[in-house]
């Protein structure tokens, strides 16, 4: 972690080991933070390279919507682009604008599509809409004819998700236009609904439907596989794969071990230590009762920070766990908006002290494990991590060779410790 790159700037730095220097740098950078989210950009790049290798010869794009799943779109996209990723997917035009300021030459697709009044905005930043409706296609056509813009677009075809996309009949209806040439379509794509379930029958049906319709889009690259779809086999990979969650360490194969590296570590600070007598309760609703003399650490994270209320415990149900001084400790009672109580009774004396940081994600607690306690999925956990956490970026020092576009702000280095408003 290169928060402080000049060893001399750390007192006694020349006498400390690299590990000690890193610890001192981390402590200095986070001294005033109640919570710290560390994002390992090198792990994200390693995950992308693993996915890319699995998909060869298909291109491996990067999905960085929702601020790169809460991890920081600017920092993540810069690291991925430096590693060789050329194509990115975002959800909205605003996300595309942010990305374009960082990566002037990357190909950017916008999943939420095209509206009649958005043509100039697409052209200005050279982004490509993902068109999933015949009305969108007509509006895009009109804009391109009137403006002369030839920036390209993707066609999204619904093969079973029933969310966005042209129907198969509608897609067949535009094939004459594709065969006529000069159509401006740069990608034909669909989206898998059940790819995380290896043998779900819809996977095969969607594959067959997409293979048939995509073959009619002569000369247009095709894309079907999301993160989990990459692991369904080469037949699902076509010309491009579009991983998102797997880049950020979420398990794309929940029926097997996670093949991806963990990416985030989340810590929060102990703000108080409290002692309870047997029979006393803790938290809202008095749902948790001390069964012995108990020591609680009150930690500065809550559901306003994306640490969901559903992870709490009561007298009959065990909740999530937190790592304190290297050991797992259970949550005691309900999680409130800004605070959570953790039972640290079994730790050695003074192992948990006011001001110490404890680990909410990391040290063996995965995003997927936390999602299980929250009754949700890892996607929601990551994208809910709030702006009150200080963001620290580890690795990814090398910058893209692109120059910033005119009038664009020069983004902060990927190794900065910043309270970035992600999530």
């Amino acid at each position: 972690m290169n928060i402080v790159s000049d060893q001399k700037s750390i007192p006694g730095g020349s006498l400390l080991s690299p590990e000690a220097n890193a610890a001192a740098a981390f402590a200095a950078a986070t001294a005033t933070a109640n919570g710290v989210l560390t994002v390992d950009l090198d792990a994200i790049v390693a995950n992308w390279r693993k996915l890319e290798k699995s998909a060869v010869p298909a291109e491996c794009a990067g999905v960085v919507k929702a601020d790169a799943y809460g991890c920081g779109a600017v920092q993540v996209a810069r690291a991925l682009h430096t590693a060789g990723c050329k194509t990115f997917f975002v959800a909205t035009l605003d996300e595309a604008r942010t990305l374009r300021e960082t990566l002037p030459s990357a190909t950017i697709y916008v999943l939420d599509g095209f509206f009649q009044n958005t043509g100039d905005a697409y052209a200005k930043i050279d982004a490509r809409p993902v068109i999933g409706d015949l009305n969108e296609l007509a509006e895009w056509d009109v804009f391109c004819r009137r403006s002369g813009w030839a920036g390209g677009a993707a066609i999204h075809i619904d093969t079973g998700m029933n969310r966005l996309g042209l129907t198969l009949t509608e897609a067949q209806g535009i094939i004459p236009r594709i065969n006529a040439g000069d159509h401006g379509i740069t990608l034909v794509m669909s989206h898998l609904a059940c790819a995380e379930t290896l043998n779900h029958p819809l996977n095969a049906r969607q594959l067959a439907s997409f293979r048939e319709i995509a073959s009619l889009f002569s000369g247009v690259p095709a894309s079907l596989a999301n993160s989990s779809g990459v692991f369904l086999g080469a037949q699902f990979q076509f010309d491009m794969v579009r991983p998102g969650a797997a880049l950020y360490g979420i398990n794309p194969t929940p029926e097997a071990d996670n093949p991806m590296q963990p990416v985030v570590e989340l810590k929060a600070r102990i703000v108080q230590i409290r002692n309870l007598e047997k029979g006393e309760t803790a938290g809202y609703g008095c749902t948790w009762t001390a069964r012995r003399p108990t020591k609680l650490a009150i930690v500065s994270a809550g559901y306003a920070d994306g640490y969901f209320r559903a992870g709490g415990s009561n007298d009959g149900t065990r909740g999530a766990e937190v790592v304190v001084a290297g050991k797992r400790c259970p949550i005691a009672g309900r999680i409130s908006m800004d605070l959570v109580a953790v039972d640290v009774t079994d730790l050695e004396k003074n192992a948990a002290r006011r001001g110490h940081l404890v680990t909410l994600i990391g040290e063996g607690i995965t995003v997927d494990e936390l999602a299980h306690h929250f009754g949700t999925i890892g996607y929601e956990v990551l994208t809910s991590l709030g702006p009150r956490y200080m963001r620290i970026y580890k690795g990814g020092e090398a910058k893209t060779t692109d120059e910033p576009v005119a009038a664009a702000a020069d983004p902060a280095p990927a190794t900065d410790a910043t309270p970035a408003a992600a999530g």
Side-chain angles (χ1 to χ4, degrees):
M1 183 184 305
N2 295 322
I3 301 170
V4 178
S5 57
D6 183 1
Q7 194 176 40
K8 295 179 181 178
S9 66
I10 305 172
S14 60
L15 301 178
L16 299 176
S17 68
E19 292 78 11
N21 279 334
F26 181 86
T30 62
T32 61
N34 272 19
V36 182
L37 177 65
T38 301
V39 179
D40 189 341
L41 296 173
D42 288 343
I44 292 175
V45 168
N47 288 339
W48 178 79
R49 285 178 171 151
K50 182 178 183 68
L51 292 158
E52 180 193 35
K53 185 176 180 180
S54 298
V56 170
E59 178 185 355
C60 187
V63 179
V64 293
K65 63 181 180 176
D67 201 30
Y69 290 52
C71 292
V74 169
Q75 294 84 355
V76 169
R78 183 192 293 127
L80 288 176
H81 192 258
T82 299
C85 184
K86 299 177 181 179
T87 302
F88 296 86
F89 287 81
V90 296
T92 69
L93 260 172
D94 282 343
E95 291 179 346
R97 288 188 189 98
T98 298
L99 203 61
R100 181 57 77 209
E101 290 175 356
T102 301
L103 302 179
S105 68
T107 299
I108 301 174
Y109 284 100
V110 180
L111 293 164
D112 280 0
F114 188 90
F115 293 92
Q116 192 169 9
N117 61 348
T118 57
D120 289 335
Y122 272 103
K124 184 176 181 179
I125 62 172
D126 189 25
R128 300 177 182 181
V130 177
I131 293 173
D133 178 86
L134 290 180
N135 291 322
E136 286 182 71
L137 184 59
E139 291 164 355
W140 178 72
D141 273 339
V142 169
F143 173 75
C144 290
R145 287 198 303 269
R146 289 179 177 175
S147 67
W149 185 57
I155 293 292
H156 185 172
I157 301 171
D158 178 32
T159 56
M161 172 72 85
N162 287 317
R163 190 178 60 175
L164 294 175
L166 276 66
T167 67
L168 292 171
T169 300
E170 289 171 337
Q172 289 170 343
I174 67 171
I175 296 303
R177 169 202 169 124
I178 301 300
N179 292 337
D182 194 27
H183 47 72
I185 304 303
T186 53
L187 184 71
V188 57
M189 58 181 279
S190 189
H191 192 63
L192 293 165
C194 302
E196 71 279 2
T197 305
L198 184 62
N199 294 314
H200 198 287
L202 185 56
N203 293 333
R205 294 201 300 268
Q206 286 194 263
L207 174 62
S209 295
F210 185 68
R211 181 187 289 127
E212 181 178 353
I213 193 66
S215 69
L216 303 178
F217 281 72
S218 179
V220 179
S223 177
L224 176 62
N226 53 9
S227 290
S228 296
V230 173
F231 295 90
L232 291 177
Q235 68 270 32
F236 284 84
Q237 294 169 359
F238 290 89
D239 301 298
M240 177 189 289
V241 297
R242 313 185 308 273
L247 295 175
Y248 311 105
I250 295 171
N251 189 358
T253 58
E255 297 175 352
D257 292 339
N258 191 350
M260 315 316 297
Q261 293 186 21
V263 166
V264 301
E265 181 181 64
L266 180 63
K267 293 180 178 290
R269 202 172 297 279
I270 298 174
V271 296
Q272 194 173 112
I273 300 292
R274 301 190 66 85
N275 292 297
L276 275 63
E277 298 295 333
K278 180 180 178 180
E280 289 191 288
T281 61
Y284 283 117
C286 300
T287 60
W288 183 92
T289 306
R291 299 180 180 180
R292 58 179 176 169
T294 299
K295 180 182 287 187
L296 296 181
I298 310 302
V299 177
S300 59
Y303 56 77
D305 305 295
Y307 199 77
F308 293 1
R309 190 170 181 268
S313 67
N314 56 49
D315 286 338
T317 305
R318 191 177 178 92
E321 295 178 325
V322 172
V323 176
V324 184
K327 294 184 178 180
R328 287 190 176 224
C329 299
I331 287 175
R334 290 180 178 171
I335 294 166
S336 54
M337 184 180 291
D338 314 300
L339 299 166
V340 58
V342 180
D343 186 346
V344 295
T345 310
D346 291 331
L347 297 183
E348 293 183 4
K349 185 178 180 180
N350 294 326
R353 301 177 65 180
R354 184 171 65 89
H356 285 183
L357 288 169
V358 304
T359 301
L360 310 181
I361 301 174
E363 296 188 65
I365 298 176
T366 67
V367 173
D368 293 300
E369 177 187 333
L370 201 57
H372 173 75
H373 286 294
F374 290 169
T376 185
I377 56 176
Y379 300 62
E380 188 175 14
V381 173
L382 284 185
T383 57
S384 297
L385 296 178
R388 295 195 293 194
Y389 298 121
M390 172 181 280
R391 263 69 173 171
I392 286 181
Y393 292 91
K394 198 167 82 170
E397 293 87 351
K399 292 185 178 180
T400 174
T401 56
D402 281 340
E403 293 298 324
V405 295
D410 189 17
T415 49
D416 275 359
T418 63

PDB file of all heavy atoms in Angstrom, residues 266 301-309 335 337 361 370 374 380-389:
ATOM      1  N   LEU A 266     -13.017  -3.938   4.817  1.00  0.00           N
ATOM      2  CA  LEU A 266     -13.793  -2.885   5.469  1.00  0.00           C
ATOM      3  C   LEU A 266     -13.521  -2.916   6.964  1.00  0.00           C
ATOM      4  O   LEU A 266     -13.667  -3.946   7.615  1.00  0.00           O
ATOM      5  CB  LEU A 266     -15.286  -3.089   5.208  1.00  0.00           C
ATOM      6  CG  LEU A 266     -16.236  -2.068   5.832  1.00  0.00           C
ATOM      7  CD1 LEU A 266     -15.991  -0.671   5.272  1.00  0.00           C
ATOM      8  CD2 LEU A 266     -17.687  -2.477   5.611  1.00  0.00           C
ATOM      9  N   ALA A 301     -20.298   1.773  12.783  1.00  0.00           N
ATOM     10  CA  ALA A 301     -20.850   1.428  11.474  1.00  0.00           C
ATOM     11  C   ALA A 301     -22.285   0.991  11.694  1.00  0.00           C
ATOM     12  O   ALA A 301     -22.609   0.405  12.741  1.00  0.00           O
ATOM     13  CB  ALA A 301     -20.050   0.316  10.801  1.00  0.00           C
ATOM     14  N   GLY A 302     -23.141   1.271  10.727  1.00  0.00           N
ATOM     15  CA  GLY A 302     -24.526   0.869  10.858  1.00  0.00           C
ATOM     16  C   GLY A 302     -25.198   0.801   9.513  1.00  0.00           C
ATOM     17  O   GLY A 302     -24.541   0.876   8.463  1.00  0.00           O
ATOM     18  N   TYR A 303     -26.527   0.698   9.536  1.00  0.00           N
ATOM     19  CA  TYR A 303     -27.208   0.511   8.254  1.00  0.00           C
ATOM     20  C   TYR A 303     -27.143   1.744   7.367  1.00  0.00           C
ATOM     21  O   TYR A 303     -27.300   1.650   6.152  1.00  0.00           O
ATOM     22  CB  TYR A 303     -28.641   0.025   8.441  1.00  0.00           C
ATOM     23  CG  TYR A 303     -29.558   0.857   9.302  1.00  0.00           C
ATOM     24  CD1 TYR A 303     -30.124   2.034   8.821  1.00  0.00           C
ATOM     25  CD2 TYR A 303     -29.898   0.435  10.582  1.00  0.00           C
ATOM     26  CE1 TYR A 303     -30.982   2.780   9.610  1.00  0.00           C
ATOM     27  CE2 TYR A 303     -30.770   1.174  11.365  1.00  0.00           C
ATOM     28  CZ  TYR A 303     -31.305   2.352  10.881  1.00  0.00           C
ATOM     29  OH  TYR A 303     -32.168   3.083  11.651  1.00  0.00           O
ATOM     30  N   ALA A 304     -26.854   2.925   7.916  1.00  0.00           N
ATOM     31  CA  ALA A 304     -26.636   4.101   7.071  1.00  0.00           C
ATOM     32  C   ALA A 304     -25.354   3.976   6.262  1.00  0.00           C
ATOM     33  O   ALA A 304     -25.166   4.685   5.268  1.00  0.00           O
ATOM     34  CB  ALA A 304     -26.587   5.367   7.927  1.00  0.00           C
ATOM     35  N   ASP A 305     -24.474   3.074   6.684  1.00  0.00           N
ATOM     36  CA  ASP A 305     -23.208   2.839   5.988  1.00  0.00           C
ATOM     37  C   ASP A 305     -23.257   1.592   5.123  1.00  0.00           C
ATOM     38  O   ASP A 305     -22.230   1.172   4.581  1.00  0.00           O
ATOM     39  CB  ASP A 305     -22.077   2.685   7.018  1.00  0.00           C
ATOM     40  CG  ASP A 305     -22.001   3.866   7.964  1.00  0.00           C
ATOM     41  OD1 ASP A 305     -21.708   4.972   7.489  1.00  0.00           O
ATOM     42  OD2 ASP A 305     -22.253   3.680   9.173  1.00  0.00           O
ATOM     43  N   GLY A 306     -24.426   0.973   5.005  1.00  0.00           N
ATOM     44  CA  GLY A 306     -24.532  -0.247   4.226  1.00  0.00           C
ATOM     45  C   GLY A 306     -24.251  -1.501   5.018  1.00  0.00           C
ATOM     46  O   GLY A 306     -24.122  -2.582   4.442  1.00  0.00           O
ATOM     47  N   TYR A 307     -24.150  -1.367   6.357  1.00  0.00           N
ATOM     48  CA  TYR A 307     -24.013  -2.558   7.198  1.00  0.00           C
ATOM     49  C   TYR A 307     -25.413  -2.881   7.693  1.00  0.00           C
ATOM     50  O   TYR A 307     -25.886  -2.346   8.690  1.00  0.00           O
ATOM     51  CB  TYR A 307     -23.039  -2.294   8.349  1.00  0.00           C
ATOM     52  CG  TYR A 307     -22.503  -3.563   8.960  1.00  0.00           C
ATOM     53  CD1 TYR A 307     -21.504  -4.291   8.309  1.00  0.00           C
ATOM     54  CD2 TYR A 307     -22.986  -4.047  10.161  1.00  0.00           C
ATOM     55  CE1 TYR A 307     -21.017  -5.475   8.846  1.00  0.00           C
ATOM     56  CE2 TYR A 307     -22.504  -5.226  10.710  1.00  0.00           C
ATOM     57  CZ  TYR A 307     -21.527  -5.933  10.045  1.00  0.00           C
ATOM     58  OH  TYR A 307     -21.039  -7.109  10.580  1.00  0.00           O
ATOM     59  N   PHE A 308     -26.082  -3.767   6.984  1.00  0.00           N
ATOM     60  CA  PHE A 308     -27.530  -3.903   7.038  1.00  0.00           C
ATOM     61  C   PHE A 308     -28.051  -4.336   8.413  1.00  0.00           C
ATOM     62  O   PHE A 308     -27.450  -5.157   9.112  1.00  0.00           O
ATOM     63  CB  PHE A 308     -28.011  -4.927   6.014  1.00  0.00           C
ATOM     64  CG  PHE A 308     -27.814  -4.525   4.580  1.00  0.00           C
ATOM     65  CD1 PHE A 308     -27.211  -3.326   4.237  1.00  0.00           C
ATOM     66  CD2 PHE A 308     -28.248  -5.357   3.564  1.00  0.00           C
ATOM     67  CE1 PHE A 308     -27.040  -2.957   2.916  1.00  0.00           C
ATOM     68  CE2 PHE A 308     -28.077  -5.009   2.227  1.00  0.00           C
ATOM     69  CZ  PHE A 308     -27.472  -3.808   1.901  1.00  0.00           C
ATOM     70  N   ARG A 309     -29.205  -3.816   8.749  1.00  0.00           N
ATOM     71  CA  ARG A 309     -29.880  -4.140  10.001  1.00  0.00           C
ATOM     72  C   ARG A 309     -30.158  -5.639  10.129  1.00  0.00           C
ATOM     73  O   ARG A 309     -30.174  -6.188  11.237  1.00  0.00           O
ATOM     74  CB  ARG A 309     -31.190  -3.349  10.073  1.00  0.00           C
ATOM     75  CG  ARG A 309     -31.909  -3.367  11.395  1.00  0.00           C
ATOM     76  CD  ARG A 309     -33.046  -2.342  11.356  1.00  0.00           C
ATOM     77  NE  ARG A 309     -33.783  -2.284  12.615  1.00  0.00           N
ATOM     78  CZ  ARG A 309     -34.857  -2.992  12.897  1.00  0.00           C
ATOM     79  NH1 ARG A 309     -35.342  -3.847  11.989  1.00  0.00           N
ATOM     80  NH2 ARG A 309     -35.471  -2.873  14.065  1.00  0.00           N
ATOM     81  N   ILE A 335     -28.526  -3.980  14.807  1.00  0.00           N
ATOM     82  CA  ILE A 335     -27.660  -2.979  14.191  1.00  0.00           C
ATOM     83  C   ILE A 335     -28.467  -1.695  14.057  1.00  0.00           C
ATOM     84  O   ILE A 335     -29.601  -1.705  13.573  1.00  0.00           O
ATOM     85  CB  ILE A 335     -27.160  -3.465  12.823  1.00  0.00           C
ATOM     86  CG1 ILE A 335     -26.251  -4.675  13.004  1.00  0.00           C
ATOM     87  CG2 ILE A 335     -26.426  -2.356  12.074  1.00  0.00           C
ATOM     88  CD1 ILE A 335     -25.962  -5.440  11.728  1.00  0.00           C
ATOM     89  N   MET A 337     -28.494   2.745  13.108  1.00  0.00           N
ATOM     90  CA  MET A 337     -28.121   3.529  11.936  1.00  0.00           C
ATOM     91  C   MET A 337     -26.620   3.780  11.826  1.00  0.00           C
ATOM     92  O   MET A 337     -26.035   3.692  10.744  1.00  0.00           O
ATOM     93  CB  MET A 337     -28.855   4.879  11.955  1.00  0.00           C
ATOM     94  CG  MET A 337     -28.600   5.721  10.708  1.00  0.00           C
ATOM     95  SD  MET A 337     -29.459   7.298  10.733  1.00  0.00           S
ATOM     96  CE  MET A 337     -31.161   6.764  10.553  1.00  0.00           C
ATOM     97  N   ILE A 361     -15.317  -6.641   6.819  1.00  0.00           N
ATOM     98  CA  ILE A 361     -15.069  -7.486   5.646  1.00  0.00           C
ATOM     99  C   ILE A 361     -13.564  -7.667   5.550  1.00  0.00           C
ATOM    100  O   ILE A 361     -12.810  -6.690   5.574  1.00  0.00           O
ATOM    101  CB  ILE A 361     -15.603  -6.864   4.348  1.00  0.00           C
ATOM    102  CG1 ILE A 361     -17.109  -6.625   4.428  1.00  0.00           C
ATOM    103  CG2 ILE A 361     -15.282  -7.759   3.145  1.00  0.00           C
ATOM    104  CD1 ILE A 361     -17.672  -5.875   3.215  1.00  0.00           C
ATOM    105  N   LEU A 370     -21.011 -12.069   4.318  1.00  0.00           N
ATOM    106  CA  LEU A 370     -21.780 -10.980   4.902  1.00  0.00           C
ATOM    107  C   LEU A 370     -23.144 -10.868   4.226  1.00  0.00           C
ATOM    108  O   LEU A 370     -24.168 -10.645   4.891  1.00  0.00           O
ATOM    109  CB  LEU A 370     -21.002  -9.672   4.773  1.00  0.00           C
ATOM    110  CG  LEU A 370     -21.392  -8.553   5.731  1.00  0.00           C
ATOM    111  CD1 LEU A 370     -21.284  -9.004   7.179  1.00  0.00           C
ATOM    112  CD2 LEU A 370     -20.529  -7.326   5.483  1.00  0.00           C
ATOM    113  N   PHE A 374     -26.964 -10.896   5.754  1.00  0.00           N
ATOM    114  CA  PHE A 374     -27.869  -9.783   5.463  1.00  0.00           C
ATOM    115  C   PHE A 374     -29.114 -10.224   4.688  1.00  0.00           C
ATOM    116  O   PHE A 374     -30.015  -9.427   4.445  1.00  0.00           O
ATOM    117  CB  PHE A 374     -27.145  -8.717   4.648  1.00  0.00           C
ATOM    118  CG  PHE A 374     -26.090  -7.952   5.407  1.00  0.00           C
ATOM    119  CD1 PHE A 374     -25.205  -7.122   4.727  1.00  0.00           C
ATOM    120  CD2 PHE A 374     -25.976  -8.045   6.783  1.00  0.00           C
ATOM    121  CE1 PHE A 374     -24.234  -6.401   5.409  1.00  0.00           C
ATOM    122  CE2 PHE A 374     -25.004  -7.331   7.476  1.00  0.00           C
ATOM    123  CZ  PHE A 374     -24.128  -6.510   6.776  1.00  0.00           C
ATOM    124  N   GLU A 380     -25.388  -6.300  -3.704  1.00  0.00           N
ATOM    125  CA  GLU A 380     -26.053  -5.264  -2.909  1.00  0.00           C
ATOM    126  C   GLU A 380     -25.171  -4.794  -1.761  1.00  0.00           C
ATOM    127  O   GLU A 380     -25.176  -3.612  -1.401  1.00  0.00           O
ATOM    128  CB  GLU A 380     -27.393  -5.772  -2.374  1.00  0.00           C
ATOM    129  CG  GLU A 380     -28.214  -4.681  -1.713  1.00  0.00           C
ATOM    130  CD  GLU A 380     -29.599  -5.127  -1.280  1.00  0.00           C
ATOM    131  OE1 GLU A 380     -29.852  -6.355  -1.241  1.00  0.00           O
ATOM    132  OE2 GLU A 380     -30.418  -4.253  -0.987  1.00  0.00           O
ATOM    133  N   VAL A 381     -24.389  -5.699  -1.178  1.00  0.00           N
ATOM    134  CA  VAL A 381     -23.490  -5.310  -0.105  1.00  0.00           C
ATOM    135  C   VAL A 381     -22.483  -4.276  -0.599  1.00  0.00           C
ATOM    136  O   VAL A 381     -22.320  -3.203  -0.009  1.00  0.00           O
ATOM    137  CB  VAL A 381     -22.761  -6.545   0.469  1.00  0.00           C
ATOM    138  CG1 VAL A 381     -21.692  -6.111   1.470  1.00  0.00           C
ATOM    139  CG2 VAL A 381     -23.750  -7.486   1.146  1.00  0.00           C
ATOM    140  N   LEU A 382     -21.797  -4.585  -1.695  1.00  0.00           N
ATOM    141  CA  LEU A 382     -20.769  -3.675  -2.195  1.00  0.00           C
ATOM    142  C   LEU A 382     -21.348  -2.328  -2.617  1.00  0.00           C
ATOM    143  O   LEU A 382     -20.787  -1.278  -2.300  1.00  0.00           O
ATOM    144  CB  LEU A 382     -20.020  -4.307  -3.376  1.00  0.00           C
ATOM    145  CG  LEU A 382     -19.005  -5.392  -3.056  1.00  0.00           C
ATOM    146  CD1 LEU A 382     -18.274  -5.822  -4.321  1.00  0.00           C
ATOM    147  CD2 LEU A 382     -17.996  -4.931  -2.008  1.00  0.00           C
ATOM    148  N   THR A 383     -22.451  -2.355  -3.341  1.00  0.00           N
ATOM    149  CA  THR A 383     -22.994  -1.095  -3.857  1.00  0.00           C
ATOM    150  C   THR A 383     -23.677  -0.274  -2.771  1.00  0.00           C
ATOM    151  O   THR A 383     -24.037   0.885  -3.013  1.00  0.00           O
ATOM    152  CB  THR A 383     -23.989  -1.349  -4.998  1.00  0.00           C
ATOM    153  OG1 THR A 383     -25.042  -2.212  -4.549  1.00  0.00           O
ATOM    154  CG2 THR A 383     -23.290  -1.982  -6.197  1.00  0.00           C
ATOM    155  N   SER A 384     -23.848  -0.837  -1.564  1.00  0.00           N
ATOM    156  CA  SER A 384     -24.473  -0.101  -0.465  1.00  0.00           C
ATOM    157  C   SER A 384     -23.463   0.509   0.493  1.00  0.00           C
ATOM    158  O   SER A 384     -23.859   1.254   1.397  1.00  0.00           O
ATOM    159  CB  SER A 384     -25.405  -1.043   0.314  1.00  0.00           C
ATOM    160  OG  SER A 384     -26.458  -1.508  -0.491  1.00  0.00           O
ATOM    161  N   LEU A 385     -22.185   0.195   0.349  1.00  0.00           N
ATOM    162  CA  LEU A 385     -21.193   0.718   1.285  1.00  0.00           C
ATOM    163  C   LEU A 385     -21.112   2.237   1.142  1.00  0.00           C
ATOM    164  O   LEU A 385     -20.785   2.757   0.088  1.00  0.00           O
ATOM    165  CB  LEU A 385     -19.832   0.064   1.030  1.00  0.00           C
ATOM    166  CG  LEU A 385     -19.802  -1.451   1.272  1.00  0.00           C
ATOM    167  CD1 LEU A 385     -18.434  -2.024   0.952  1.00  0.00           C
ATOM    168  CD2 LEU A 385     -20.211  -1.800   2.700  1.00  0.00           C
ATOM    169  N   GLY A 386     -21.401   2.935   2.208  1.00  0.00           N
ATOM    170  CA  GLY A 386     -21.714   4.353   2.136  1.00  0.00           C
ATOM    171  C   GLY A 386     -20.524   5.290   2.034  1.00  0.00           C
ATOM    172  O   GLY A 386     -19.363   4.898   2.201  1.00  0.00           O
ATOM    173  N   PRO A 387     -20.813   6.583   1.808  1.00  0.00           N
ATOM    174  CA  PRO A 387     -19.765   7.584   1.597  1.00  0.00           C
ATOM    175  C   PRO A 387     -19.031   7.985   2.864  1.00  0.00           C
ATOM    176  O   PRO A 387     -18.034   8.693   2.798  1.00  0.00           O
ATOM    177  CB  PRO A 387     -20.534   8.776   1.008  1.00  0.00           C
ATOM    178  CG  PRO A 387     -21.916   8.624   1.518  1.00  0.00           C
ATOM    179  CD  PRO A 387     -22.162   7.143   1.586  1.00  0.00           C
ATOM    180  N   ARG A 388     -19.503   7.527   4.039  1.00  0.00           N
ATOM    181  CA  ARG A 388     -18.794   7.906   5.268  1.00  0.00           C
ATOM    182  C   ARG A 388     -17.513   7.111   5.471  1.00  0.00           C
ATOM    183  O   ARG A 388     -16.673   7.486   6.301  1.00  0.00           O
ATOM    184  CB  ARG A 388     -19.717   7.745   6.476  1.00  0.00           C
ATOM    185  CG  ARG A 388     -20.892   8.704   6.437  1.00  0.00           C
ATOM    186  CD  ARG A 388     -21.602   8.816   7.776  1.00  0.00           C
ATOM    187  NE  ARG A 388     -22.287   7.591   8.175  1.00  0.00           N
ATOM    188  CZ  ARG A 388     -23.179   7.546   9.171  1.00  0.00           C
ATOM    189  NH1 ARG A 388     -23.480   8.654   9.829  1.00  0.00           N
ATOM    190  NH2 ARG A 388     -23.758   6.403   9.496  1.00  0.00           N
ATOM    191  N   TYR A 389     -17.350   6.019   4.730  1.00  0.00           N
ATOM    192  CA  TYR A 389     -16.083   5.294   4.806  1.00  0.00           C
ATOM    193  C   TYR A 389     -15.016   6.029   4.012  1.00  0.00           C
ATOM    194  O   TYR A 389     -15.244   6.428   2.865  1.00  0.00           O
ATOM    195  CB  TYR A 389     -16.223   3.880   4.225  1.00  0.00           C
ATOM    196  CG  TYR A 389     -17.194   2.983   4.944  1.00  0.00           C
ATOM    197  CD1 TYR A 389     -18.276   2.426   4.272  1.00  0.00           C
ATOM    198  CD2 TYR A 389     -17.020   2.661   6.292  1.00  0.00           C
ATOM    199  CE1 TYR A 389     -19.173   1.583   4.916  1.00  0.00           C
ATOM    200  CE2 TYR A 389     -17.911   1.823   6.944  1.00  0.00           C
ATOM    201  CZ  TYR A 389     -18.981   1.296   6.249  1.00  0.00           C
ATOM    202  OH  TYR A 389     -19.861   0.470   6.895  1.00  0.00           O
TER     203      TYR A 389
END
